[in-house]
Amino acid sequence: MWGIKGSCAALLLLFLAYISVSSVTADSLSAPLNVTIKALEGNSAIVTWDILEGDPVIGFAITQQKKDVRMLRFIQEVNTTTRSCALWDLEEDTEYIVHVQSISMSSTSPLSEPVLFRTPKESEKLASKSPDEVTMEEVGQAAQLRAGELIIIVVVLVMWAGVIALFCRQYDIIKDNEPNNNKDKAKNSSECSTPEHPTGGLLRSKV
């Protein structure tokens, strides 16, 4: 009797152990792979990574740290399938260390291999840009400048057209008033002229 009970208890323990091992294996996550820094700027960067196919990942966690500084920035996001994250408020010419972790419903993965990168100086970035390289921001600024120049040209042309129209109107008014002025001048000159007196007269005969 006791042997049967002992066998049942042993089987039950083995079953529970199997379930525990299976759940741990199912929930265990691998560390993210191929962690890479892209779009590196003086004050920002983008970190990307890959995960093993089949891992039940529902989110990620990123630790960002300045080299030789203990202060950490922790970024976490769940209910997402994205494999990238933007890093912001970085300092120019500064070294940073980044780790990435995957998150599942019940656990987190080990830390990825650390990635060390340095943000560039703004002057270095401008120096590295080729003369023929044009960014979208520069294109937008050029378009705004052209639009402003066109507006100024249109305003100047409208003003000149208004001045010319006003001049033509004044010229027509002056031209229309010229015959009246000539008549008034002729009338005034005739009124002011003295009548002519005959120079000759009748000769009286002496008696």
Side-chain angles (χ1 to χ4, degrees):
M1 185 70 180
W2 288 104
I4 296 175
K5 289 183 178 180
S7 299
C8 291
L11 289 173
L12 180 60
L13 290 173
L14 288 173
F15 179 71
L16 292 175
Y18 173 77
I19 292 176
S20 300
V21 171
S22 299
S23 63
V24 170
T25 304
D27 291 339
S28 62
L29 296 174
S30 301
L33 306 172
N34 303 324
V35 180
T36 308
I37 301 297
K38 298 181 179 180
L40 185 59
E41 302 285 344
N43 303 110
S44 64
I46 296 177
V47 57
T48 63
W49 63 90
D50 297 323
I51 62 172
L52 289 179
E53 187 176 356
D55 280 355
V57 176
I58 64 167
F60 64 85
I62 295 175
T63 56
Q64 169 193 322
Q65 177 185 6
K66 288 184 183 179
K67 187 179 179 182
D68 302 328
V69 178
R70 293 184 178 180
M71 184 179 298
L72 294 174
R73 171 185 283 177
F74 187 72
I75 304 171
Q76 180 174 314
E77 188 173 345
V78 295
N79 297 327
T80 179
T81 57
T82 183
R83 301 292 177 260
S84 65
C85 179
L87 307 178
W88 65 95
D89 288 341
L90 305 180
E91 296 180 6
E92 295 181 7
D93 194 24
T94 305
E95 289 186 330
Y96 290 90
I97 301 174
V98 169
H99 295 86
V100 183
Q101 287 179 286
S102 296
I103 300 176
S104 68
M105 292 293 293
S106 59
S107 64
T108 58
S109 72
L111 292 172
S112 67
E113 292 294 327
V115 176
L116 176 66
F117 67 94
R118 175 187 288 273
T119 54
K121 291 182 180 180
E122 193 65 26
S123 57
E124 293 177 355
K125 180 184 174 184
L126 294 175
S128 62
K129 184 188 295 186
S130 63
D132 297 332
E133 183 179 357
V134 179
T135 62
M136 293 301 296
E137 183 178 358
E138 292 173 347
V139 172
Q141 291 177 354
Q144 291 179 355
L145 289 175
R146 291 175 183 172
E149 292 174 356
L150 288 175
I151 292 173
I152 293 173
I153 292 172
V154 171
V155 170
V156 171
L157 290 177
V158 170
M159 292 178 63
W160 272 108
V163 170
I164 293 172
L166 181 62
F167 174 78
C168 292
R169 183 178 178 184
Q170 294 294 330
Y171 178 77
D172 291 338
I173 293 174
I174 293 171
K175 189 176 180 181
D176 291 339
N177 290 334
E178 278 184 358
N180 296 329
N181 292 334
N182 292 333
K183 291 179 181 179
D184 292 339
K185 287 180 181 179
K187 184 178 180 180
N188 292 334
S189 61
S190 63
E191 289 178 353
C192 295
S193 62
T194 56
E196 294 182 358
H197 297 283
T199 56
L202 295 175
L203 296 176
R204 289 184 178 182
S205 59
K206 293 183 179 180
V207 180

